[in-house]
Amino acid sequence: LREHEGSYLAELLRKDWLRVLGKRGQWPLYDRVYAGLRTNEPDLVCYSALSRAQADPADAPPAALSAWEAASEIPEGCKPLVDALFNAGKLRTDDVWQRVRLLGAAGRGAALPQTLAYLPERERPTDKQIDRIERDPAAFLKRAHKLDMRKRLNRELTIYATQRLARRDPIQAADDWTALRGRFDGRDDAYVWGQLAFHAALDHLPEALSWYERADAVALADEQVEWQARAALRARDWAALLGAVERLPKALRDESVWVYWRGRA
């Protein structure tokens, strides 16, 4: 590392070595090697936080929450921090289901089992249920009217199945959801319409704008709002375009493309 400091291969070697040190809990050495890192990755940030937490546990939560709120599998180095947050009661069942929705929205089904493992066993879906949804979400939704929607598990599985189907067939997903939506509260209904509208916009479907209107009760992700603006632009609906651009965070709103279209609108 000293001989080839600054090279690409040295950086890769340093990262691999840090992962070994983090797994072994060799924190003083980890900290010294970590100080020479030029680029970073989530698991190495978590190991660094875990090292600092040996002296001050307050250092751990920010790195753990960052890993938890990312739409990807929790890196091995972050898992002890996430476990600690659950053990301390700082993450709860509601947080697990919010992450399931996040993974569903991103199409990251492979990361689902790791997340569902944090649910109490009696509230956890079986592998068979998840596999059925992954393989054929439409078939699951056709039978969903038989489920007891008073149970959070059944409601969330139905929402997840709708997310999965929307990625391949937004129209069918919207039809199936319409048949079931009376059994969900307003916020769940608005959340799902936001998902349906986003995929409709990606597919350039004319229904996208009206579906976005049904999602007004919930906050949308930045990417969803950008595609709402694109759907409005495609329809030459200037009022809807202006409203969507105004909802973007300032950093996005100030990008030249949205400055231009805001002015046109």
Side-chain angles (χ1 to χ4, degrees):
L1 284 175
R2 280 195 300 269
E3 185 175 346
H4 299 281
E5 186 63 49
S7 73
Y8 175 70
L9 289 177
E11 185 74 354
L12 292 181
L13 176 59
R14 182 176 277 109
K15 289 179 180 180
D16 286 345
W17 191 18
L18 284 169
R19 290 186 176 99
V20 171
L21 295 173
K23 288 177 185 177
R24 292 178 176 173
Q26 294 180 250
W27 302 123
L29 181 54
Y30 183 95
D31 293 341
R32 292 201 298 274
V33 177
Y34 185 80
L37 198 63
R38 293 170 179 262
T39 60
N40 227 324
E41 293 179 20
D43 60 332
L44 302 181
V45 173
C46 285
Y47 276 133
S48 178
L50 196 57
S51 174
R52 296 194 305 273
Q54 309 307 307
D56 183 1
D59 274 337
L65 287 174
S66 178
W68 180 257
E69 292 167 358
S72 58
E73 195 159 348
I74 300 168
E76 185 176 353
C78 298
K79 198 170 181 306
L81 297 179
V82 171
D83 291 347
L85 288 184
F86 270 95
N87 293 336
K90 293 180 180 178
L91 287 175
R92 301 178 183 273
T93 298
D94 279 352
D95 299 299
V96 177
W97 286 121
Q98 286 300 318
R99 179 167 160 78
V100 168
R101 292 189 182 191
L102 177 70
L103 294 172
R108 299 291 178 84
L112 210 57
Q114 182 195 52
T115 297
L116 291 171
Y118 285 101
L119 287 172
E121 190 169 353
R122 67 183 181 280
E123 300 175 36
R124 194 183 307 159
T126 65
D127 292 342
K128 185 177 180 180
Q129 285 176 301
I130 297 299
D131 184 57
R132 281 171 50 206
I133 293 174
E134 294 288 343
R135 285 188 292 106
D136 195 347
F140 180 91
L141 291 173
K142 294 301 182 191
R143 295 190 293 268
H145 66 279
K146 299 178 181 179
L147 298 174
D148 181 359
M149 292 303 177
R150 291 172 297 180
K151 295 181 178 179
R152 177 78 180 266
L153 170 60
N154 291 334
R155 295 197 306 274
E156 294 294 345
L157 288 179
T158 301
I159 290 172
Y160 182 70
T162 306
Q163 287 178 310
R164 294 292 298 174
L165 183 57
R167 300 182 74 84
R168 64 176 80 156
D169 190 344
I171 297 293
Q172 183 62 57
D175 288 344
D176 289 343
W177 178 252
T178 299
L180 294 165
R181 58 186 292 227
R183 303 172 69 188
F184 290 78
D185 67 28
R187 288 192 63 79
D188 282 349
D189 185 50
Y191 171 80
V192 172
W193 281 113
Q195 297 289 302
L196 294 167
F198 173 61
H199 288 289
L202 288 175
D203 288 352
H204 300 180
L205 298 179
E207 291 86 354
L209 274 186
S210 63
W211 292 357
Y212 268 115
E213 290 176 7
R214 299 182 185 185
D216 271 351
V218 293
L220 301 177
D222 294 347
E223 188 180 20
Q224 286 176 291
V225 180
E226 285 194 288
W227 277 96
Q228 181 180 15
R230 293 182 182 111
L233 179 57
R234 189 172 297 110
R236 292 296 189 266
D237 186 331
W238 302 109
L241 173 58
L242 183 59
V245 174
E246 292 287 359
R247 279 193 289 276
L248 288 170
K250 188 176 185 305
L252 284 174
R253 198 167 61 241
D254 288 348
E255 289 184 358
S256 58
V257 62
W258 295 125
V259 170
Y260 173 78
W261 284 115
R262 182 172 180 272
R264 282 288 301 273

